[in-house]
Amino acid sequence: MVARAVAGLPSDCHLGDRQAFVARLSSAQLATGKLDEAVHTGHGALDLAEQWVSAYGRYLLRLLCRDVQEHQDTPAAREFLDRAAGIRALA
């Protein structure tokens, strides 16, 4: 899903733009109640954050983490939040 969505972006798309797109996609999935898809997509955003993160990307990922925390009783959400906590650029 994430790979297909990102593949649809222009080839010259900046890494920060890709990261913002994926983070916003994850947030939209979460807002529609698709927790598993949102967390999967969120991991894609974290993959990009491990390479580079802009101030806007950091902001979007922090918002996503805040929203995922509402579901921290599920293993998928906990795993996502634990991984996000380990990314120094998001601290």
Side-chain angles (χ1 to χ4, degrees), residues 7-88:
L9 295 173
S11 61
D12 62 346
C13 186
H14 187 271
L15 180 61
D17 294 334
R18 288 178 187 272
Q19 183 183 81
F21 173 80
V22 175
R24 288 192 312 257
L25 175 60
S26 180
S27 292
Q29 291 168 330
L30 189 59
T32 59
K34 299 176 182 175
L35 176 63
D36 290 335
E37 288 181 31
V39 168
H40 177 76
T41 303
H43 277 288
L46 294 179
D47 290 343
L48 294 169
E50 288 175 334
Q51 298 174 45
W52 181 80
V53 65
S54 66
Y56 183 59
R58 185 178 302 114
Y59 168 76
L60 290 173
L61 286 169
R62 286 178 177 164
L63 287 179
L64 178 59
C65 288
R66 182 199 66 196
D67 294 342
V68 170
Q69 283 180 343
E70 296 177 17
H71 307 278
Q72 64 185 343
D73 56 327
T74 66
R78 276 195 308 273
E79 180 183 335
F80 173 80
L81 293 169
D82 288 347
R83 181 172 177 217
I87 297 177
R88 186 169 15 159

